[in-house]
């Protein structure tokens, strides 16, 4: 019996939205709010709704300000996809784990049956219930900017960037998810979004904090308003910030639809160098369904690829790896004129191979391409990765004197591989090279290394590093590019009168040119302080910590 009155009210609401002029649209929204949604009347002076989220505008405070500003809804205007689901899925997967991500995916068929506010509340509850506040803030800082930038509409960004005065964002997305990106990358002065309820300030309850999906906006006059054209009837209401209020002035509209072009990398507000998280794709419902269906096979592939790399000869392992979908592109190895550690003058020591650092598997793929074993030095390596490594690995201590003695000893025993960046970087940039290696070896060979993935990243700053090789090898068709550039001429080394810093910078530039990358002055510490808030020192996790983190990767 209760079903029919609700249906009648919804039909009446739809007729009001379709037939009445835009000047009556707010009345229709108010009817919706106090009709079948059963919410108490709001105490704000003026209520305006955008994409189901509501906020109030204090006209007096706006009239008292002379500062021009632009208003924008991130999901409806700035983002090309216009969908909120992938960003909730990113938080669910990266901060909550695979089980929470699966629950959110199971809710996706229900979401189209709900009104906007119902969809939002359901996604918030499934995504945030029980999550630690600091984990979500870490994901918002380390994971979300990459996906926001790659989904940013070029037309909308240009319109927002051209606006004079201050800028503020109004969005139905949780403020904790978008605020860091908007302020750090787009220089937004104020972000107004959905506030989430917290328990003891440390955990999210999954509920929306009072005043619900409402937010107060004041201080500025709006000079430019961006909206997505051609969407549901709620979108034009956002334009009333500029049109209906007498204190508003010029209006600019933009279309953030599938026809809009994505913002090219060279127009990013700031370079995207560091980011974290395991997912390498935008997690829409179809793509996440494909990922969950592939994961059992991916785990089998990872175990198979690890096993052949550990137990089988190089040539046979390369053949079987290629049959499993792992692509290796080697270049520069046909010329074997580079002296091996057993040839020439033993007093000169072994050859030092200087590699760019993309994953923990860089030295292993180099030894596979050379078909002979090398020793690798690293600044931090988990015990599990050290055990399963098919080559000898030696840890450095970050003590210059001790590390120098260790590397000299290893070079006297044979050839050595080092990644002077000290940490991995996913984007086409090279971090600053440590200059320690430059004065230790007579024969230095740069090796340009790059890795490509389609589903999972094989590196992490926040998760379990011992799983890095597993996630890389779980990709359907991962690829490795290894280019041996040849020995550095004597006049370009310390023997030729160059300082160790000049040698390191010269090798960095040569490797960057070979890969088409850019050189930076950023270091390992910069990366980990930005992404994880620590120095990046690997500590062996206790059994309790492993149990707590088994679903957070």
């Amino acid at each position: 019996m209760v079903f029919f009155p609700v249906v009648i009210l919804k039909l009446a609401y739809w007729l009001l939205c379709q037939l009445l002029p835009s000047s009556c649209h707010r009345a229709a929204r108010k009817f919706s709010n106090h009709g079948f949604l059963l919410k108490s009347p709001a105490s704000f002076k003026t209520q305006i709704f955008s994409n189901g989220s509501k906020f109030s505008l204090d006209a007096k405070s706006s009239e008292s300000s002379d500062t021009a500003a632009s208003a924008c809804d991130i999901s409806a205007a700035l983002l090309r996809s216009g969908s909120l689901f992938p960003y909730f899925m990113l938080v669910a997967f990266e901060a909550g784990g695979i089980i929470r991500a699966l629950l959110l995916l199971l809710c996706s068929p229900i979401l189209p049956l709900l009104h906007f506010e119902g969809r939002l509340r359901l996604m918030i509850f499934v995504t945030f219930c029980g999550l630690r506040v600091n984990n979500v803030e870490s994901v918002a800082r380390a994971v979300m900017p990459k996906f926001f930038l790659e989904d940013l509409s070029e037309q909308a960004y240009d319109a927002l960037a051209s606006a004079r005065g201050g800028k503020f964002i109004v969005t139905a997305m949780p403020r904790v998810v978008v605020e860091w990106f908007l302020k750090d990358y787009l220089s937004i002065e104020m972000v107004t979004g959905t506030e989430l309820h917290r328990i003891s300030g440390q955990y999210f309850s999954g509920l929306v904090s009072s005043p619900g999906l409402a937010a107060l906006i004041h201080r500025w006059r709006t000079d430019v308003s961006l909206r997505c054209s051609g969407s549901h009837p709620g979108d034009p209401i956002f334009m009333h910030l500029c049109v209906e209020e007498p204190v508003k002035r010029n209006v600019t509209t933009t279309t953030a639809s599938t026809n809009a072009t994505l913002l090219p990398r060279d127009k990013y507000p700031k370079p995207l160098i560091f980011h974290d998280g395991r997912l390498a794709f935008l997690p829409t419902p179809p793509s996440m369904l494909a990922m969950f269906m592939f994961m059992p096979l991916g785990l089998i592939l990872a175990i198979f690829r690890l096993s052949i790399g550990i137990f089988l000869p190089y040539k046979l392992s390369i053949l079987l790896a290629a049959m499993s979908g792992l692509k290796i592109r080697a270049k520069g190895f046909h010329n074997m004129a580079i002296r091996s550690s057993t040839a020439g003058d033993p007093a000169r020591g072994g050859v030092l191979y200087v590699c760019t650092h993309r994953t923990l598997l860089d030295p292993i793929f180099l030894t596979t391409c050379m078909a002979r074993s090398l020793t690798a030095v690293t600044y931090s390596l988990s015990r599990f990765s050290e055990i399963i490594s098919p080559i000898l690995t030696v840890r450095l201590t970050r003590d210059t004197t001790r590390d120098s003695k260790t590397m000299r000893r290893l070079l006297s025993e044979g050839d050595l591989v080092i990644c002077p960046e000290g940490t991995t970087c996913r984007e086409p940039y090279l971090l600053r090279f440590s200059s320690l290696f430059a004065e230790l070896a007579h024969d230095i060979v740069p090796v340009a290394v790059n890795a490509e993935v389609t589903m999972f990243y094989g590196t992490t700053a926040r998760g379990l590093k011992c799983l890095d090789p597993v996630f890389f090898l779980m990709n359907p068709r991962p690829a490795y590019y290894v280019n041996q550039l040849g020995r550095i001429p004597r006049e370009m080394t310390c023997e030729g009168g160059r300082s160790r810093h000049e040698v390191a910078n010269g090798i960095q530039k040569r490797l960057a040119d070979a890969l088409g990358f850019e050189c930076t002055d950023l270091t390992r510490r910069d990366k980990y302080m930005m992404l994880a808030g620590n120095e990046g020192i690997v500590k062996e996790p206790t059994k309790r910590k492993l149990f707590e983190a088994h679903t957070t990767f």
Side-chain angles (χ1 to χ4, degrees):
M1 296 299 292
V2 180
F3 174 76
F4 292 102
V6 173
V7 171
I8 293 174
L9 286 173
K10 287 188 175 183
L11 287 175
Y13 164 72
W14 181 84
L15 288 173
L16 284 173
C17 293
Q18 295 294 324
L19 301 179
L20 294 182
S22 60
S23 60
C24 297
H25 195 89
R26 282 189 293 174
R29 282 290 193 178
K30 188 172 293 187
F31 170 78
S32 168
N33 188 39
H34 306 316
F36 63 87
L37 292 183
L38 301 179
K39 292 182 179 178
S40 59
S43 58
F44 307 130
K45 294 184 178 181
T46 306
Q47 289 204 347
I48 308 172
F49 295 76
S50 175
N51 284 345
S53 65
K54 58 184 180 180
F55 53 89
S56 74
L57 179 67
D58 189 339
K60 291 184 178 180
S61 61
S62 297
E63 290 172 353
S64 62
S65 174
D66 294 328
T67 304
S70 58
C72 179
D73 183 350
I74 180 173
S75 60
L78 288 181
L79 301 182
R80 181 174 178 267
S81 65
S83 174
L84 299 181
F85 179 87
Y87 302 100
F88 280 95
M89 178 59 75
L90 283 169
V91 177
F93 187 89
E94 303 294 353
I98 190 172
I99 302 301
R100 187 183 297 268
L102 180 59
L103 290 176
L104 183 59
L105 179 63
L106 294 176
C107 293
S108 60
I110 306 174
L111 298 178
L113 305 178
L114 304 175
H115 55 79
F116 182 86
E117 187 171 341
R119 293 197 302 270
L120 189 63
R121 288 182 181 274
L122 179 58
M123 289 191 293
I124 287 175
F125 180 80
V126 176
T127 301
F128 291 93
C129 182
L131 288 185
R132 281 184 164 277
V133 173
N134 58 355
N135 286 345
V136 175
E137 291 175 344
S138 178
V139 169
R141 180 179 64 251
V143 180
M144 304 304 291
K146 182 251 185 186
F147 292 93
F148 283 138
L149 283 173
E150 292 181 349
D151 196 23
L152 204 59
S153 167
E154 182 178 9
Q155 293 85 348
Y157 172 76
D158 290 341
L160 184 65
S162 64
R164 59 189 179 87
K167 304 178 181 68
F168 64 89
I169 292 290
V170 180
T171 178
M173 294 182 68
R175 181 180 58 83
V176 67
V177 175
V178 299
E179 185 174 31
W180 196 89
F181 163 74
L182 293 173
K183 290 186 175 181
D184 190 66
Y185 280 84
L186 301 186
S187 302
I188 302 300
E189 297 185 16
M190 187 179 77
V191 179
T192 303
T194 301
E195 298 292 339
L196 304 182
H197 180 258
R198 305 184 183 191
I199 302 176
S200 302
Q202 298 182 357
Y203 296 89
F204 288 110
S205 66
L207 303 178
V208 177
S209 178
S210 178
L213 302 179
L216 295 176
I217 300 179
H218 50 83
R219 297 183 184 175
W220 294 312
R221 294 183 178 185
T222 302
D223 182 65
V224 175
S225 175
L226 303 179
R227 69 179 178 91
C228 177
S229 61
S231 297
H232 57 77
D235 286 337
I237 294 305
F238 187 70
M239 297 298 294
H240 290 306
L241 259 76
C242 295
V243 179
E244 292 192 1
E245 297 296 332
V247 297
K248 305 301 179 275
R249 292 179 286 181
N250 300 325
V251 180
T252 299
T253 63
T254 187
T255 302
S257 64
T258 55
N259 296 324
T261 58
L262 294 175
L263 186 69
R265 176 178 286 271
D266 58 1
K267 291 185 64 176
Y268 282 180
K270 59 185 293 188
L272 177 65
I273 300 177
F274 299 132
H275 59 87
D276 202 24
R278 291 296 188 185
L279 293 181
F281 60 94
L282 187 67
T284 60
S287 61
M288 285 302 294
L289 178 61
M291 187 207 76
F292 279 110
M293 294 176 64
F294 174 78
M295 283 195 73
L297 176 60
L299 185 59
I300 296 174
L301 279 176
I303 296 173
F304 174 75
R305 291 163 176 169
L306 278 173
S307 301
I308 62 177
I310 295 173
F311 300 111
L312 297 183
Y314 293 115
K315 292 184 178 180
L316 183 57
S317 64
I318 291 177
L319 176 62
L320 294 178
M323 294 176 60
S324 71
L326 177 59
K327 185 177 181 180
I328 302 176
R329 292 177 290 177
K331 184 178 179 181
F333 294 94
H334 62 282
N335 183 9
M336 300 306 294
I338 298 176
R339 181 184 55 81
S340 68
S341 60
T342 59
D345 184 7
R348 290 180 62 87
V351 178
L352 180 62
Y353 293 92
V354 180
C355 297
T356 55
H357 203 8
R358 311 313 282 179
T359 75
L360 290 176
L361 301 175
D362 296 336
I364 297 175
F365 278 96
L366 175 60
T367 59
T368 302
C369 293
M370 297 183 64
R372 62 188 180 88
S373 182
L374 302 172
T375 301
V377 292
T378 178
Y379 285 102
S380 60
L381 190 69
S382 68
R383 182 65 62 182
F384 176 76
S385 299
E386 194 172 5
I387 292 173
I388 67 173
S389 174
I391 63 175
L392 176 63
T393 58
V394 178
R395 298 189 190 188
L396 299 179
T397 62
R398 302 182 190 280
D399 183 305
T400 303
T401 303
R402 292 178 58 185
D403 291 343
S404 178
K405 292 181 179 179
T406 300
M407 293 178 64
R408 289 183 186 276
R409 175 179 59 82
L410 293 172
L411 281 169
S412 67
E413 298 172 355
D415 297 342
L416 189 64
V417 183
I418 186 174
C419 299
E421 290 175 277
T423 187
T424 58
C425 182
R426 299 173 176 179
E427 297 301 317
Y429 298 93
L430 292 186
L431 307 186
R432 189 177 70 191
F433 277 26
S434 170
S435 60
L436 176 63
F437 72 91
E439 58 186 9
L440 301 179
H442 298 283
D443 297 313
I444 302 175
V445 179
V447 182
V449 177
N450 194 18
E452 298 176 359
V453 298
T454 56
M455 187 171 288
F456 301 111
Y457 284 114
T459 60
T460 183
R462 300 165 41 256
L464 295 177
K465 285 186 169 295
C466 61
L467 297 180
D468 285 355
V470 177
F471 272 101
F472 177 81
L473 296 175
M474 280 180 63
N475 282 280
R477 292 187 60 83
Y480 241 93
Y481 171 79
V482 184
N483 182 9
Q484 186 174 263
L485 302 182
R487 190 175 64 179
I488 296 294
R490 183 179 181 276
E491 59 270 16
M492 301 297 293
T493 65
C494 292
E495 286 184 330
R498 299 293 185 95
S499 69
R500 67 177 191 176
H501 297 289
E502 290 175 331
V503 174
N505 292 338
I507 294 176
Q508 182 197 34
K509 181 66 167 60
R510 185 175 177 183
L511 289 170
D513 292 341
L515 292 170
F517 289 1
E518 294 183 32
C519 296
T520 72
D521 199 37
L522 300 174
T523 64
R524 172 191 181 91
R525 185 178 184 275
D526 296 324
K527 170 186 171 180
Y528 278 90
M529 290 302 296
M530 173 183 173
L531 299 182
N534 57 54
E535 298 282 344
I537 306 297
V538 174
K539 298 181 180 179
E540 290 300 316
T542 62
K543 292 183 178 180
R544 177 179 178 83
K545 289 182 179 179
L546 281 172
F547 176 77
E548 292 176 348
H550 78 286
T551 60
T552 61
F553 313 119

